[in-house]
């Protein structure tokens, strides 16, 4: 499905009924990274997955991207779907967007699931890496970005033994336009430090991280768990950065338990 949101076409899927969970994907993927969450969780919940601006079937305009703008897109989509409040799950860049969303629209957040993400801003070296990657995307196209990103997203064991999963991730990356990839890199490089926000998060929060995640390692997850009041932390064995794809059953169970628990009448 597609909605006209803030001047662009935004693609999304909406499956199941019940309490809504909104899933925000990682860089540089698209909403199909949540396919296994959609199948497993839509029997219990309303599962909404979004192709963020610049990705998948959504428009990828050329020029300025910010995470706050992606948060505004999510907010406008909630209006479009007449959803007042939801639980939000963001993985990596999806988590960065959730920090921006929480800054602006906290009243809409029933619960937060922060997966394989971090609250710190980029270092100077990290920002320079974003610039270099944008140049690579411009010169050599999305396949070169897939070559760079796959070893950061999946564990060595997955890369060696699960060619279908590796191909699925490659197809997602290669399906993006250069304008969207460069736009994300610009937005992530400019994102603010969200550490000061952590202590102000008052909704229920579940943090998830793959034990082998090197992009946003368990130490980043522990930092968020220490700072966000009453946050819970789950570390998924045998998973790297894309924990939801590498260990979907464990990931789904954590999400289902969390959403069921926070939805019980108090
Ligand atoms: C992601 O998975 O969204 C990216 O690895 C995040 C990042 O590059 O900081």
């Amino acid at each position: 499905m597609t909605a006209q949101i803030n001047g662009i076409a935004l693609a999304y899927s909406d499956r199941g009924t019940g309490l809504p969970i909104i899933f925000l994907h990682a860089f540089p993927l698209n909403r199909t990274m949540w396919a296994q969450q959609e199948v497993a969780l839509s029997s219990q919940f309303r599962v909404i997955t979004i192709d963020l601006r610049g990705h998948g079937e959504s428009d990828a305009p050329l020029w300025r991207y910010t995470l706050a703008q992606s948060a505004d897109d999510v907010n406008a989509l909630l209006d479009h779907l007449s959803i007042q409040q939801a639980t939000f799950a963001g993985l990596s860049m999806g988590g960065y967007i959730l920090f921006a969303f929480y800054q602006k629209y906290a009243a809409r957040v029933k619960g937060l699931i922060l997966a394989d993400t971090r609250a710190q801003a980029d270092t100077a070296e990290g920002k320079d890496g974003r610039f270099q990657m944008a140049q690579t995307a411009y010169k050599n196209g999305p396949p070169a970005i897939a070559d760079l990103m796959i070893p950061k997203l999946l564990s060595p064991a997955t890369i060696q033994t699960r060619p279908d999963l590796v191909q699925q991730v490659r197809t997602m990356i290669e399906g993006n336009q250069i304008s969207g990839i460069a736009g994300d890199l610009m937005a992530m490089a400019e994102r603010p430090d969200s550490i000061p926000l952590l202590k102000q998060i008052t909704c229920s929060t579940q943090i998830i991280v793959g034990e082998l995640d090197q992009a946003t390692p368990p130490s980043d997850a522990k930092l968020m768990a220490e700072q966000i009041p009453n946050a819970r932390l789950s570390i998924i064995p045998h998973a790297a950065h894309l924990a939801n794809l590498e260990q979907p059953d464990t990931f789904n169970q954590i999400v289902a338990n969390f959403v069921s628990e926070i939805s019980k009448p108090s």
Side-chain angles (χ1 to χ4, degrees):
M1 279 180 276
T2 302
Q4 280 304 125
I5 297 286
N6 296 334
I8 63 158
L10 205 69
Y12 66 96
S13 302
D14 184 355
R15 190 160 159 186
T17 54
L19 298 161
I21 316 177
I22 318 288
F23 285 91
L24 304 185
H25 62 74
F27 166 82
L29 305 178
N30 64 44
R31 71 189 197 277
T32 64
M33 74 167 255
W34 299 115
Q36 297 191 69
Q37 282 63 54
E38 210 177 20
V39 170
L41 297 167
S42 61
S43 56
Q44 249 182 299
F45 306 104
R46 181 174 178 187
V47 174
I48 293 161
T49 61
I50 305 172
D51 277 347
L52 296 161
R53 177 184 287 257
H55 298 259
E57 296 175 323
S58 290
D59 284 344
L62 184 64
W63 204 237
R64 194 168 161 71
Y65 284 62
T66 66
L67 300 178
Q69 176 188 49
S70 292
D72 289 344
D73 291 343
V74 174
N75 187 58
L77 185 67
L78 292 189
D79 289 343
H80 175 80
L81 297 172
S82 303
I83 294 172
Q84 289 307 316
Q85 222 192 17
T87 296
F88 294 81
L91 193 141
S92 200
M93 183 183 73
Y96 305 161
I97 294 168
L98 287 184
F99 290 129
F101 189 87
Y102 195 87
Q103 287 272 11
K104 292 182 101 167
Y105 308 113
R108 292 196 109 147
V109 183
K110 168 94 181 148
L112 273 181
I113 300 168
L114 299 167
D116 298 280
T117 192
R118 64 176 165 215
Q120 305 91 309
D122 279 356
T123 59
E125 196 188 355
K127 286 182 208 279
D128 189 51
R130 305 282 189 202
F131 176 77
Q132 297 303 339
M133 195 181 283
Q135 306 318 303
T136 301
Y138 183 59
K139 284 193 197 129
N140 303 325
I145 301 303
D147 292 341
L148 285 174
M149 287 304 296
I150 285 170
K152 298 180 193 210
L153 299 175
L154 300 169
S155 72
T158 297
I159 291 173
Q160 274 182 10
T161 61
R162 298 175 67 186
D164 293 358
L165 183 46
V166 176
Q167 186 53 46
Q168 186 192 343
V169 172
R170 178 172 286 281
T171 303
M172 280 190 261
I173 298 175
E174 292 186 354
N176 288 318
Q177 297 179 48
I178 293 166
S179 53
I181 293 174
D184 279 349
L185 290 163
M186 178 193 310
M188 290 192 288
E190 290 182 1
R191 75 185 192 283
D193 180 13
S194 293
I195 298 275
L197 175 72
L198 300 178
K199 281 195 173 9
Q200 296 164 33
I201 295 179
T202 54
C203 66
S204 303
T205 304
Q206 170 73 61
I207 295 161
I208 304 176
V209 66
E211 68 167 347
L212 305 172
D213 188 345
Q214 294 194 5
T216 51
S219 55
D220 288 343
K222 286 178 187 153
L223 179 70
M224 292 189 291
E226 280 160 16
Q227 301 268 328
I228 299 176
N230 304 316
R232 57 196 92 180
L233 169 64
S234 302
I235 300 179
I236 301 187
H238 312 298
H241 192 54
L242 297 181
N244 72 306
L245 279 168
E246 291 187 295
Q247 296 298 336
D249 294 344
T250 311
F251 191 96
N252 294 344
Q253 198 57 56
I254 295 165
V255 172
N257 288 349
F258 173 68
V259 181
S260 303
E261 202 171 303
I262 66 172
S263 314
K264 279 187 197 144
S266 47

